Amino acid sequence: MLGHVALATYECDNAHKVQWPSSPYLGTKYLVNCRMAHAYFVSGIRQNQYHRVADAAGIGKLGEDYIGEVFSVYKDCVHRKTQESVYDALLEEITLYPETDGIDILTDARHATRKNSRYSDIVCIGAQSHKVLRVETVSREDDPCAQRHELLGTKRLYHYLEQQEGGSVHIRVHCHDRNGSVNKWLRETRHETETTNDTWHAAKNIAKEVRTVCCGSRCMQGKTWHPHLSDKAASIKTHVYWSMKNCEENPETLQHSMMNVIKHYKNNHEHCHPTSRCKTDPAYEPSKTIITDPTAEQLLRQALHRTIIYKNPTDFIHCMDTYFVESFNNIMLQYHDKRTDGSLAYDAYRMRTNIATLDWNENINARTVTSQRDSVDARNPRRVSARRNLRRKNFAFWTELWQEYASQVLA
């Protein structure tokens, strides 16, 4: 066996010998071995997984030196294809804002390992096309502190956008997880860009924070919690989301809308939104316990004042989230293992990131819905949206990468 190629030797009775390989050549290497190396790279599996599969199947395997030779050419092919993909994605994103000068972006930092990461990927996704516009990889060689990687990667993103051939790309709204250093840098140096923080990360703990005034020990009843609030934690979280979405980008309106929930639960609907059911339905009856005790009202008011959204309303008036960045991070897990990828060399790590980018940009918004499935989840009883069944992903970039590699080998 020569890798995945069988080399057979035939001999006649007169001791004449001839050797026959089971694969043709691609340049100076066997075609089958090159195809298997290509499959190993685009699959995202780790080297030990590849060896175990090959050994179990008894089909031979490629050595580290051979894979290294293929990798030296293949990584450049992946880099070129990725550059084309993100550039096309940026042009597409720009065309989706025909009446304005600039684009909106979503960013987030993903660490390669769970603790003291060697690499961090700062991902930039277009808010309209949902395609990856750029991924900056920051390593400990750039900055030994992993907590500062997101700020450094964000600065590189803006530098990249300023150096595009068509001129500097203006960023209107930049949404990211609530990173204080990024918020400060954007406000101090990017006056033309509005910074906004992800609503999900900010609101996910609201129900937990409000629950502290909704339940507790009997001895603390009326002091730290009140029974009139016991059924309102989840619905208050929903109301906060609604307030962010309907504040019309006004921080004062956001705060006022959040606090109006107290009057609503007191059965006072004077300031409720005109489209609310309490205003439009003549037969409306409150489904929650009506607050009649001033202590309960005061406890709920204090809990809402403690939320990060009420304290910093300007950071949430655009009501944007980084859902698509988090989804891209899930795609990255197919190519990056958080347990081991911190030990990869930079070129190997970067190539896996580029392949994940090609995978995402090819399939996002391209998979049509075949059907929907309504299911009840006991862990999420308030979830009402149906689960969509999508068509299988397309992997045309596999063929493009192979053709690019083959052309380089045969050049």
Side-chain angles (χ1 to χ4, degrees), residues 111 116-120 122 137-153 155-156 181 346:
H111 300 298
N116 197 22
S117 179
R118 179 182 177 186
Y119 300 112
S120 298
I122 291 75
T137 300
V138 183
S139 68
R140 283 211 302 264
E141 285 72 20
D142 300 316
D143 192 319
C145 179
Q147 285 70 31
R148 292 195 292 261
H149 285 182
E150 183 171 2
L151 177 58
L152 180 56
K155 292 179 179 179
R156 290 181 178 178
S181 59
Y346 179 83

Side-chain angles (χ1 to χ4, degrees), residues 7 16 46 62 110 160 180 185 320 332 353 372:
L7 184 62
H16 298 141
R46 301 191 303 276
L62 305 177
R110 176 195 176 275
Y160 164 77
W185 180 76
M320 296 176 64
M332 290 274 276
T353 299
Q372 291 188 351

Side-chain angles (χ1 to χ4, degrees), residues 170-284:
H170 170 57
I171 305 302
R172 300 189 314 165
V173 181
H174 180 172
C175 177
H176 60 93
D177 294 350
R178 190 168 179 79
N179 185 304
S181 59
V182 175
N183 274 338
K184 180 180 178 181
W185 180 76
L186 288 172
R187 290 195 177 106
E188 292 180 351
T189 64
R190 300 285 167 175
H191 304 293
E192 72 283 1
T193 299
E194 293 186 66
T195 176
T196 184
N197 296 159
D198 172 55
T199 57
W200 182 83
H201 285 85
K204 68 176 182 177
N205 291 324
I206 284 182
K208 182 178 178 180
E209 294 171 358
V210 174
R211 195 172 287 116
T212 59
V213 299
C214 297
C215 58
S217 59
R218 183 176 293 274
C219 65
M220 299 305 293
Q221 180 176 335
K223 299 177 182 178
T224 61
W225 72 279
H226 200 282
H228 284 186
L229 306 176
S230 59
D231 58 347
K232 298 177 176 59
S235 57
I236 289 175
K237 178 180 176 180
T238 302
H239 175 76
V240 171
Y241 271 116
W242 185 93
S243 298
M244 288 187 288
K245 188 174 182 179
N246 295 274
C247 69
E248 300 178 350
E249 300 184 4
N250 188 319
E252 295 180 356
T253 302
L254 172 57
Q255 289 180 321
H256 176 76
S257 178
M258 286 181 60
M259 301 310 298
N260 186 62
V261 73
I262 300 175
K263 293 183 178 180
H264 175 80
Y265 287 133
K266 291 175 64 178
N267 207 22
N268 179 357
H269 309 294
E270 178 184 357
H271 298 291
C272 291
H273 197 270
T275 60
S276 301
R277 194 165 68 89
C278 59
K279 282 288 192 71
T280 59
D281 186 359
Y284 171 79

Side-chain angles (χ1 to χ4, degrees), residues 47-80:
Q47 191 171 25
N48 67 320
Q49 293 173 325
Y50 159 68
H51 285 170
R52 291 180 64 186
V53 170
D55 290 341
I59 58 175
K61 61 185 178 184
L62 305 177
E64 292 186 11
D65 293 340
Y66 187 94
I67 291 179
E69 293 176 7
V70 177
F71 172 78
S72 63
V73 178
Y74 196 85
K75 65 180 178 65
D76 295 331
C77 300
V78 174
H79 176 73
R80 284 191 293 272

